[in-house]
Amino acid sequence: MGTPAGLTDARAAAPYDAAAGQYYDVAVIGGGVVGHGIAWQVRRSGRTVALIDDAPGTGASWAAAGMLAPVSELHYQEEDLLELMLESSRLWPDFAAQLQPVAAEPAGTGTGNEAAAGTGYLTAPTIAVGADAADRRALADLRTVQQACGLVVEPLTVRAARRREPLLSPGISCAFDIPADHQVDPRLLLARIAALLAADSGSHAVQRRAAGLLWQDGHVAGVSLAGGGEVRARETIVANGLGAAELGGLPPGLRLPLRPVHGDILRLRVPARLRPLLGSTVRGLVRGVPVYIVPRQDGTVVIGATQREVALGEPAASGAGGAVSAGGVYALLRDAQQLLPAVAELELLEATARARPATPDNAPLLGRVADQAAGRPGDIAGLIIATGFFRHGILLTPVAAQICQQLLDGMADPRWTRFRPGRFSAGVPAADPHTAVARTPGRMDPHYPSPYPEHSKETP
Amino acid sequence: MGTPAGLTDARAAAPYDAAAGQYYDVAVIGGGVVGHGIAWQVRRSGRTVALIDDAPGTGASWAAAGMLAPVSELHYQEEDLLELMLESSRLWPDFAAQLQPVAAEPAGTGTGNEAAAGTGYLTAPTIAVGADAADRRALADLRTVQQACGLVVEPLTVRAARRREPLLSPGISCAFDIPADHQVDPRLLLARIAALLAADSGSHAVQRRAAGLLWQDGHVAGVSLAGGGEVRARETIVANGLGAAELGGLPPGLRLPLRPVHGDILRLRVPARLRPLLGSTVRGLVRGVPVYIVPRQDGTVVIGATQREVALGEPAASGAGGAVSAGGVYALLRDAQQLLPAVAELELLEATARARPATPDNAPLLGRVADQAAGRPGDIAGLIIATGFFRHGILLTPVAAQICQQLLDGMADPRWTRFRPGRFSAGVPAADPHTAVARTPGRMDPHYPSPYPEHSKETP
């Protein structure tokens, strides 16, 4: 496809030659949407990049609905996260536009509903609806918080909501228009970035499982691969979701408190006679339980929202859990039908379950890690963590990519230091703007003990 | 695997050589469970056989639950069918035993619950339960009919039912023990027969689509294949379900009134902590709608019962319809949970939909076809129809195979002439015991007009 859109060729990529001691500029561990987004941004900044994943795109990204919904996703006491979500939301139009084929029209013009070719990015609005009186009160209370945060959430009468979405049940108790919450198709998005990277000689997809971090002279020097082999890199970005905590060679004392939160998601096909089923994404509250219905332009819809802290059956080796809960599927169909009775007429194409990486404060683990060696101020060089995105991985991809690039450039935005990955680790200094710029490898102490290759899992 | 069990080698199969004008003894069109069962029986009788199907085992057999349930499946005004179902039920233990590996133990001994290796045949009983008072009355009324037909259906108290099946809901309104209704695993069964046939030089699987019947001198002489080629055979058995009515070259005036009745079926995995989920097959009536829960010995269960006369969305080319209804899945899970709340804890493995070939009287189209040529008494030689088994294909496989063999042997059991395939065809003589024995090809009139190769579809 020629030179991919958005790739800077000023710094031509040299082919990687491990035997010759060559380094990638950046190794990204994890081939989900976040990892791909970071790798693409890294490459656009002129750096060579290796993206390491033995099964790219099959984790949480495979199940994600792709709602870009900072407003709807605002939860009580998560206002810190809101700023990050809003920043990413602002980045999304340009991020999606950069991914468009060069010959296509610019995104964001026209009706606002055309897909940015290849990613399914849509600026169609979201409509929040409640099923009963308690749901109405809950959504009205949430609106108060949303408005206090400066977000636009406008009440609609049920009649007005049904004028806009005629298939909504007349029995809904309330409706709110949320124009700023959009969507993207995560599978298309990932495939589009992967295709751009594949066409670019400065990036390399390593379809192997990362075993751990490689250390050299007190800094991270790349990634060791399961079954042998390694990828050497000046900087390594850990973006493999739940797998991050299982990597060998994590910095001593660094605790990555990731836990799997499972979700079931359904994909359904709308029969021709019912198209378009919806013009807006519907986010519902049914007897206090959330459910969403996301219409795609290909005539399918995604229905989801279940959250299970415990995986069904025997735990999968990866902890990512692909088991779909019959009770979860039942509840999704029940609640979706209550808001949109035509759901019963749809064809069930797929039921999928995946685990998302949650953290104790529901915010990501994103940034560099303070060096704990005695008398060594600053952060561990060569290492960036970008995981724990929980429900927000798709929305937060552009801002995560931007933050990673800033860190690679030696800058750190003080707004984001509160998300530094060491914040749950006793003994690892918390956010400190003065340490946010990593030392360069040249300043490393060669006698610093390397925790690698023991592959010890340092998560007490 | 050496000589397959149950195959008679007295009449060694000569390799088929179309160029040399050679014929199979029998060509079977249709590679579902019925077609496989017939082919196997044909081969056991010493005849060579070709089984023709471009996608064997992917039709209604793929979705079938495999209940062998003449008692539970008794419907009002279907007493004619009952005799056929009971006859097949009597044949099942021997049919299953003959399919066992030679070295294995005989079936039917021991606890009665051991699987006949390779087919999943189980003689575990069925328990019928109702959800509400109306369901209790309906099941009690049905029992009156069942008893009048000499069938054993014993009432159980809810307490006794829950002693036997502790996970049944305490809220069920009634329970009945039906010891004679058993089960088999249709996928295992089909694979087992296919393996036995594959290991036998006297049978040949032709993975091509049958286009129509070949005629010669007024009798059917084999099968023409889509895309060219043919399989010549002395007798042709049409056992391809809904596809039967679409075959070219059907006898003029023969109407095969097959219609697709869709069903959704779920396969779920029982987590280790809930095993065994059930010891019996549960057949429920929930607000008047049937649902069944069939436990397999591999730790899975099958839940089904939906019937839809209309396929979802655009019709599939084959009419077999693979679209799964979201509303059907919802209703199955809802009703199954009402009887067995632990269903919510299961893992959903698969949702499948297939169409079954139904007839106006819900009984199969099974037998030879009367010859309509002027002054030609008797049946068309070389042709047997075996389709329209609707919900009962798995149960009826042994008796269908037996009836086909009897017809091949020149015998006809007068009990089954009521199922002759011409009974819905104006101008095609109905059952006539005197015409039940086909003429041999040697007695054919060479001037009888051949409807083939025009492939006209004779279903007005």
Side-chain angles (χ1 to χ4, degrees):
Chain A
M1 62 171 56
T3 303
L7 289 190
T8 304
D9 283 328
R11 183 171 172 177
Y16 174 70
D17 184 348
Q22 290 184 347
Y23 278 64
Y24 283 98
D25 292 321
V26 178
V28 177
I29 301 175
V33 164
V34 170
H36 272 83
I38 291 171
W40 186 60
Q41 178 92 18
V42 160
R43 184 65 198 111
R44 287 165 79 204
S45 75
R47 295 171 171 90
T48 58
V49 65
L51 181 61
I52 303 166
D53 197 319
D54 59 338
T58 62
S61 295
W62 184 248
M67 286 175 293
L68 308 174
V71 183
S72 314
E73 284 287 346
L74 176 65
H75 286 63
Y76 299 108
Q77 302 178 321
E78 289 181 19
E79 289 83 356
D80 271 4
L81 187 54
L82 176 64
E83 188 177 1
L84 190 68
M85 294 201 291
L86 288 174
E87 176 72 8
S88 208
S89 189
R90 277 188 287 271
L91 295 174
W92 252 104
D94 186 56
F95 186 77
Q98 295 287 335
L99 287 165
Q100 277 192 293
V102 176
E105 298 299 315
T109 60
T111 66
N113 218 359
E114 70 280 10
T119 68
Y121 175 69
L122 292 176
T123 56
T126 290
I127 188 163
V129 300
D132 64 19
D135 298 324
R136 183 179 61 228
R137 282 190 296 273
L139 288 175
D141 288 350
L142 180 59
R143 178 174 178 245
T144 306
V145 179
Q146 288 164 326
Q147 287 189 305
C149 293
L151 306 174
V152 175
V153 178
E154 292 304 330
L156 295 171
T157 63
V158 171
R159 176 188 294 260
R162 295 189 69 228
R163 246 194 322 266
R164 207 168 93 184
E165 300 294 351
L167 296 180
L168 278 174
S169 167
I172 59 172
S173 64
C174 64
F176 296 90
D177 183 35
I178 306 179
D181 281 356
H182 304 147
Q183 67 153 297
V184 71
D185 183 331
R187 294 183 186 177
L188 289 181
L189 171 65
L190 194 145
R192 174 71 183 147
I193 299 177
L196 290 173
L197 290 175
D200 171 39
S201 62
S203 78
H204 181 49
V206 180
Q207 285 222 0
R208 296 278 301 282
R209 191 167 69 76
L213 301 177
L214 277 178
W215 289 77
Q216 187 178 336
D217 303 332
H219 69 275
V220 173
V223 182
S224 70
L225 302 175
E230 61 186 40
V231 172
R232 298 209 155 250
R234 291 179 185 86
E235 298 267 8
T236 296
I237 302 178
V238 175
N240 58 336
L242 287 167
E246 293 161 15
L247 280 178
L250 290 175
L254 176 67
R255 185 170 162 253
L256 298 178
L258 297 166
R259 73 180 197 283
V261 177
H262 291 75
D264 302 311
I265 195 164
L266 309 177
R267 278 162 214 279
L268 305 100
R269 199 174 71 94
V270 182
R273 70 181 187 284
L274 289 176
R275 296 188 192 180
L277 187 77
L278 291 171
S280 316
T281 292
V282 170
R283 295 188 67 119
L285 202 58
V286 180
R287 293 177 301 278
V289 178
V291 63
Y292 52 75
I293 309 171
V294 184
R296 299 258 194 257
Q297 290 208 314
D298 63 1
T300 64
V301 295
V302 172
I303 297 179
T306 57
Q307 289 189 198
R308 285 180 283 120
E309 294 279 340
V310 181
L312 279 175
E314 290 69 37
S318 69
V324 176
S325 154
V329 169
Y330 166 72
L332 283 179
L333 289 172
R334 179 194 61 203
D335 295 348
Q337 281 181 81
Q338 182 160 351
L339 304 176
L340 195 73
V343 164
E345 308 297 317
L346 308 187
E347 172 187 347
L348 182 61
L349 296 176
E350 181 188 323
T352 307
R354 289 292 186 278
R356 293 154 293 191
T359 64
D361 59 5
N362 290 342
L365 305 171
L366 180 57
R368 293 195 183 267
V369 180
D371 199 329
Q372 287 196 275
R376 297 171 57 87
D379 293 333
I380 295 167
L383 177 65
I384 296 171
I385 307 281
T387 182
F389 292 92
F390 191 27
R391 293 190 312 272
H392 312 300
I394 311 300
L395 169 61
L396 294 180
T397 289
V399 80
Q402 186 182 71
I403 290 170
C404 285
Q405 187 193 325
Q406 290 169 344
L407 293 171
L408 293 173
D409 290 344
M411 300 182 296
D413 187 325
R415 289 181 296 167
W416 314 133
T417 53
R418 70 183 92 131
F419 301 119
R420 280 168 58 97
R423 67 185 182 274
F424 300 105
S425 308
V428 174
D432 175 359
H434 301 293
T435 69
V437 177
R439 297 164 309 183
T440 62
R443 288 157 53 205
M444 288 291 111
D445 176 356
H447 302 297
Y448 184 81
S450 164
Y452 199 76
E454 293 83 355
H455 282 196
S456 60
K457 186 173 162 190
E458 301 290 350
T459 53
Chain B
M1 59 171 57
T3 303
L7 289 190
T8 305
D9 282 328
R11 183 173 174 176
Y16 174 71
D17 184 347
Q22 288 183 347
Y23 277 64
Y24 283 100
D25 292 322
V26 178
V28 176
I29 302 174
V33 164
V34 170
H36 272 85
I38 291 171
W40 186 61
Q41 178 91 18
V42 161
R43 183 67 198 110
R44 287 164 79 203
S45 74
R47 294 172 172 88
T48 58
V49 65
L51 181 62
I52 303 165
D53 198 319
D54 59 338
T58 61
S61 295
W62 185 247
M67 287 175 293
L68 308 174
V71 182
S72 314
E73 284 287 347
L74 176 64
H75 286 63
Y76 299 108
Q77 301 177 320
E78 288 182 18
E79 288 83 357
D80 272 3
L81 187 55
L82 177 64
E83 188 177 0
L84 190 69
M85 294 201 293
L86 288 174
E87 176 73 7
S88 208
S89 190
R90 279 188 285 273
L91 295 173
W92 251 105
D94 187 57
F95 185 79
Q98 295 287 335
L99 287 166
Q100 277 192 291
V102 176
E105 296 299 315
T109 60
T111 66
N113 219 358
E114 69 280 13
T119 69
Y121 176 68
L122 292 176
T123 56
T126 291
I127 191 164
V129 301
D132 63 20
D135 298 324
R136 183 177 63 229
R137 283 190 297 274
L139 288 174
D141 289 350
L142 180 60
R143 178 174 177 245
T144 306
V145 179
Q146 289 163 327
Q147 288 190 304
C149 294
L151 306 174
V152 175
V153 178
E154 293 303 332
L156 295 170
T157 62
V158 171
R159 176 188 293 260
R162 295 188 70 227
R163 248 194 319 267
R164 208 167 94 186
E165 301 295 350
L167 296 181
L168 278 175
S169 166
I172 59 173
S173 64
C174 65
F176 297 89
D177 183 35
I178 306 177
D181 281 356
H182 303 147
Q183 68 152 295
V184 71
D185 184 330
R187 294 183 186 178
L188 290 181
L189 171 64
L190 194 146
R192 174 70 182 148
I193 300 177
L196 289 173
L197 290 174
D200 170 39
S201 62
S203 78
H204 181 50
V206 180
Q207 285 221 0
R208 297 276 300 282
R209 191 168 67 79
L213 301 176
L214 277 178
W215 289 77
Q216 186 178 339
D217 303 333
H219 68 275
V220 173
V223 181
S224 69
L225 302 175
E230 61 186 40
V231 173
R232 299 210 153 249
R234 291 178 186 84
E235 298 267 10
T236 296
I237 302 178
V238 174
N240 57 336
L242 286 168
E246 292 163 13
L247 279 179
L250 290 175
L254 176 66
R255 185 170 160 254
L256 298 178
L258 298 166
R259 73 178 195 285
V261 177
H262 291 76
D264 301 311
I265 196 164
L266 309 177
R267 279 162 213 281
L268 306 99
R269 199 172 72 96
V270 182
R273 71 182 187 282
L274 289 176
R275 294 188 195 182
L277 186 77
L278 291 170
S280 317
T281 292
V282 170
R283 295 187 66 118
L285 203 58
V286 181
R287 292 175 302 278
V289 177
V291 63
Y292 53 74
I293 309 170
V294 184
R296 301 257 195 256
Q297 289 207 314
D298 63 0
T300 63
V301 296
V302 172
I303 297 180
T306 56
Q307 290 187 198
R308 282 180 285 120
E309 295 278 340
V310 181
L312 278 176
E314 290 69 37
S318 68
V324 176
S325 153
V329 169
Y330 166 72
L332 283 178
L333 290 172
R334 178 194 63 202
D335 295 349
Q337 282 181 80
Q338 183 161 353
L339 304 176
L340 194 74
V343 164
E345 308 297 318
L346 308 187
E347 172 188 347
L348 182 61
L349 296 176
E350 181 188 321
T352 307
R354 289 292 185 279
R356 293 155 294 190
T359 63
D361 59 5
N362 289 343
L365 304 172
L366 181 57
R368 292 195 184 269
V369 180
D371 199 328
Q372 288 194 276
R376 299 171 56 88
D379 292 332
I380 295 168
L383 177 65
I384 296 171
I385 307 283
T387 183
F389 292 92
F390 191 26
R391 293 192 310 271
H392 312 299
I394 311 301
L395 169 61
L396 294 179
T397 289
V399 80
Q402 187 183 67
I403 291 170
C404 286
Q405 189 193 323
Q406 289 169 344
L407 293 172
L408 294 173
D409 290 343
M411 300 183 295
D413 189 324
R415 290 181 297 168
W416 314 134
T417 54
R418 70 182 91 130
F419 299 119
R420 280 167 60 95
R423 68 185 182 276
F424 299 105
S425 308
V428 174
D432 175 359
H434 301 294
T435 68
V437 177
R439 297 163 309 181
T440 63
R443 288 157 54 206
M444 289 291 114
D445 175 356
H447 302 299
Y448 185 81
S450 163
Y452 198 75
E454 292 84 356
H455 284 195
S456 61
K457 186 173 160 190
E458 301 290 349
T459 53

